[in-house]
Amino acid sequence: MNNFVETKVGFIESISKGNSTVRKQAVCYNPREGLILPVNAFLLDRRFNRGKSWRTVEADGRSLCQWWDFLYLKRVDYRGADVDDLRDFIISGGTRYGNVVRFPGTDPQTNFDETTAAKADTILSFYKFLKDEYDVCLEGGPGETLGDVRRRALGRVRYREQEGQDEKQPAFAYPRSENPRLRHLRPTPTPEEATEIIKATAKAHRSFHVHSYYLIASLFRFGGLRAGGCESLTLSGFFGAMAVETAFMKAGLASALRKGHRLNDSQFEIVECLNKMLQLGRTYLFVPVIEKGSIQRLAPIPIKIAIELVDYILNERRRFIEQKRQKYSYDPPDNVFLSNKITGSKFLTADAISNKIALIFRDCKIAGSGHRLRATFCESVVRDLYLRDRGANGRAWQPNVIIAIARKYLGHMSDEAINSYLNNIASNEYAWAGEPVLVRDSDDAAVMRGLSDALEGTNGRDVARELRQWADRMSIPSRAEPNLFNAVKTLENG
């Protein structure tokens, strides 16, 4: 039963480790039926010609294993599988032991969830590969085989219910494993732990990668980028984001930034323009990246980190490329972060980035991952938005506004993640001794912080008395705000 699965998974693990002998193998033997199937060639095509990650290829292999066992248990030859078989597979939850069968005459449309839709796409792509690349004779007339249909013709994806959807799509009770894998929620690193992780990137074995992973960890922590965003960060996107800024247009650098011409000679002017943006109160440079499959967003890269990236690109990265070209012909990709590998991807992939950051967490004995390092940034953004809205509007603060701004800022597709951050922050207010107050000017904020420290100091009572007397002399009325959490605390204290 499991021979087919073990064969495919072993193949995937072999090619993911760079086994050149296995990579040359174009087909895989199936001991159950005695057939030679081009599954391996399909997976290789997905990885090297379609640009799919190893994790995606592994998931594709497992989906085909489940589909194959599903057909085997139904005594259906893989070449004779039709659309009805695929629908039954999906309605059964995409499992090898599914036995759910639709009643004759029912609605032919199938409701997919996100997981079964991905499995259906893999299966249909495989059959299209069989028909177009290997000329396998599939049973059925032209236009009627699984190699001829598209998933969208079979049904629609049933996403999680979102605000504004009036019609709820029907849900199926998909079967689940009897022994579900327990998932442990990794905590969000504290700002101090995040700083320790960034400092630990200095332990990389190559100086070039020390700078690479230092900047990647910084982008996770202070820009909220995902591993895919760091992978897809390109020179054209980075410098193109500068080209549309007023400071660079007035300096006459817009054309050079778009074309990437003689940027090494203009490094001082580029950094000077970035510093001007800081002086004008700007904090971020918004750069296009691609994350979560193929979704593009404008990632907020702190200008201080952008200055470091400019130095990295025009110096460290350039020297790395020159060293490569001294050994062999090397044509670097447009990606900012390059890989040291000779074969395969010439840039650091999302998997490589995630694995390296995970090792750094492990070495520091801190629970978490690169994605949780991004969560430190996300939580700080939501906290800042909450405090600003809370200080300005008091109990009338608007969570929907905070969630809408944070979603756009952080690149979230749904409200759930933002809700979790906001709930944690609002819950923590119960334990806060103070209350949020809005101060619009940074100089005033510094004075208010000093005053707050004085009120908490040994002479706090004297400072408070003098402050109240001064407010009375200046005819400044106090504004009491009924804090919901403090009201609950008062009731509890009776």
Side-chain angles (χ1 to χ4, degrees):
M1 180 68 67
N2 294 324
N3 290 336
F4 182 77
V5 177
E6 293 172 357
T7 304
K8 298 301 175 293
V9 174
F11 167 76
I12 296 168
E13 292 176 349
S14 298
I15 56 177
S16 65
K17 294 177 181 177
N19 189 325
S20 58
T21 303
V22 180
R23 283 183 179 181
K24 295 177 182 178
Q25 184 182 3
V27 292
C28 182
Y29 179 68
N30 176 17
R32 178 183 301 150
E33 297 291 343
L35 296 174
I36 301 295
L37 297 175
V39 173
N40 290 6
F42 170 72
L43 297 178
L44 286 171
D45 178 75
R46 298 279 279 181
R47 175 64 185 96
F48 296 107
N49 296 335
R50 309 292 179 181
K52 303 295 182 181
S53 67
W54 286 120
R55 291 184 180 180
T56 301
V57 171
E58 182 177 359
D60 291 343
R62 293 186 183 277
S63 297
L64 291 176
C65 293
Q66 293 169 337
W67 167 247
W68 188 268
D69 285 339
F70 176 81
L71 295 178
Y72 174 75
L73 293 173
K74 290 186 63 176
R75 299 295 188 267
V76 175
D77 185 270
Y78 79 102
R79 291 165 296 190
D82 56 19
V83 172
D84 289 336
D85 294 320
L86 181 58
R87 286 197 176 108
D88 291 341
F89 177 70
I90 295 304
I91 294 175
S92 300
T95 62
R96 55 172 52 89
Y97 305 113
N99 56 3
V100 178
V101 179
R102 294 175 300 104
F103 290 109
T106 56
D107 186 1
Q109 289 291 312
T110 305
N111 287 287
F112 298 86
D113 62 12
E114 296 177 60
T115 301
T116 53
K119 291 183 178 182
D121 287 337
T122 298
I123 293 169
L124 293 175
S125 297
F126 174 64
Y127 276 91
K128 182 174 177 59
F129 182 83
L130 291 178
K131 181 175 71 72
D132 297 341
E133 302 295 334
Y134 271 78
D135 295 327
V136 173
C137 182
L138 302 176
E139 298 178 7
E144 299 177 355
T145 67
L146 289 178
D148 301 313
V149 300
R150 294 184 178 182
R151 195 253 302 160
R152 283 180 290 182
L154 303 179
R156 56 182 177 177
V157 179
R158 178 176 53 82
Y159 295 102
R160 295 177 180 177
E161 184 180 355
Q162 297 179 356
E163 184 179 356
Q165 289 183 344
D166 297 330
E167 179 183 359
K168 294 184 179 180
Q169 301 183 28
F172 295 98
Y174 293 121
R176 296 185 179 274
S177 172
E178 295 180 359
N179 298 312
R181 179 170 62 90
L182 297 178
R183 300 188 64 181
H184 300 281
L185 180 63
R186 292 178 176 177
T188 299
T190 64
E192 294 76 18
E193 290 174 338
T195 301
E196 183 179 350
I197 293 297
I198 294 174
K199 290 181 178 179
T201 57
K203 298 178 182 178
H205 63 287
R206 296 177 184 271
S207 60
F208 176 70
H209 284 161
V210 167
H211 293 92
S212 298
Y213 283 106
Y214 164 77
L215 289 170
I216 288 172
S218 298
L219 290 172
F220 271 79
R221 167 64 182 90
F222 299 107
L225 272 75
R226 300 177 175 87
C230 293
E231 173 190 324
S232 63
L233 182 62
T234 60
L235 302 185
S236 57
F238 179 62
F239 290 117
M242 297 181 192
V244 298
E245 295 288 346
T246 303
F248 292 92
M249 296 176 67
K250 289 184 176 181
L253 294 172
S255 178
L257 288 169
R258 289 194 185 94
K259 298 177 181 178
H261 291 169
R262 302 177 62 84
L263 295 181
N264 293 82
D265 300 334
S266 305
Q267 180 176 350
F268 177 80
E269 288 80 4
I270 293 173
V271 173
E272 190 176 39
C273 290
L274 289 172
N275 283 321
K276 286 182 180 178
M277 292 175 63
L278 281 174
Q279 294 170 5
L280 293 173
R282 288 283 300 277
T283 306
Y284 295 103
L285 178 71
F286 291 90
V287 180
V289 296
I290 298 176
E291 295 177 335
K292 304 184 74 170
S294 59
I295 301 174
Q296 187 181 50
R297 75 178 181 101
L298 294 177
I301 295 181
I303 293 178
K304 293 182 179 180
I305 296 180
I307 293 174
E308 296 185 68
L309 275 170
V310 170
D311 181 69
Y312 169 84
I313 292 170
L314 301 182
N315 294 284
E316 291 289 334
R317 186 179 183 277
R318 179 175 56 84
R319 283 194 291 268
F320 177 82
I321 294 172
E322 291 175 353
Q323 292 174 0
K324 289 287 187 182
R325 286 175 173 171
Q326 290 176 0
K327 299 178 182 179
Y328 54 88
S329 177
Y330 180 72
D331 183 21
D334 193 39
N335 303 69
V336 170
F337 300 110
L338 302 179
S339 171
N340 198 45
K341 292 183 178 180
I342 299 177
T343 60
S345 300
K346 296 180 181 180
F347 53 87
L348 290 177
T349 63
D351 288 343
I353 291 171
S354 298
N355 293 337
K356 181 63 178 179
I357 299 297
L359 287 175
I360 295 174
F361 267 88
R362 189 183 307 170
D363 293 341
C364 294
K365 295 180 173 55
I366 296 176
S369 62
H371 199 72
R372 300 313 302 164
L373 190 61
R374 160 187 152 83
T376 306
F377 169 80
C378 296
E379 188 165 306
S380 65
V381 168
V382 177
R383 180 182 291 108
D384 182 68
L385 291 172
Y386 167 77
L387 291 176
R388 289 175 181 273
D389 200 296
R390 184 80 166 78
N393 302 313
R395 288 189 65 186
W397 67 284
Q398 303 174 19
N400 291 337
V401 174
I402 296 173
I403 290 172
I405 297 174
R407 274 186 58 188
K408 184 176 181 180
Y409 209 67
L410 302 175
H412 281 288
M413 295 295 293
S414 66
D415 297 346
E416 292 184 9
I418 307 299
N419 280 331
S420 64
Y421 295 130
L422 190 57
N423 289 337
N424 290 338
I425 293 166
S427 299
N428 289 338
E429 187 179 354
Y430 181 85
W432 290 349
E435 298 184 13
V437 177
L438 178 67
V439 179
R440 301 187 183 279
D441 189 276
S442 58
D443 294 335
D444 293 340
V447 174
M448 294 300 293
R449 291 192 192 99
L451 181 60
S452 177
D453 293 339
L455 289 169
E456 295 293 328
T458 56
N459 299 322
R461 290 187 178 180
D462 295 336
V463 173
R465 183 174 60 254
E466 293 290 337
L467 183 60
R468 291 189 182 96
Q469 292 175 358
W470 173 83
D472 290 338
R473 289 196 304 270
M474 299 295 294
S475 301
I476 299 177
S478 61
R479 193 189 78 178
E481 177 188 323
N483 188 307
L484 173 63
F485 298 96
N486 288 342
V488 173
K489 190 181 299 183
T490 302
L491 290 173
E492 289 179 347
N493 294 335

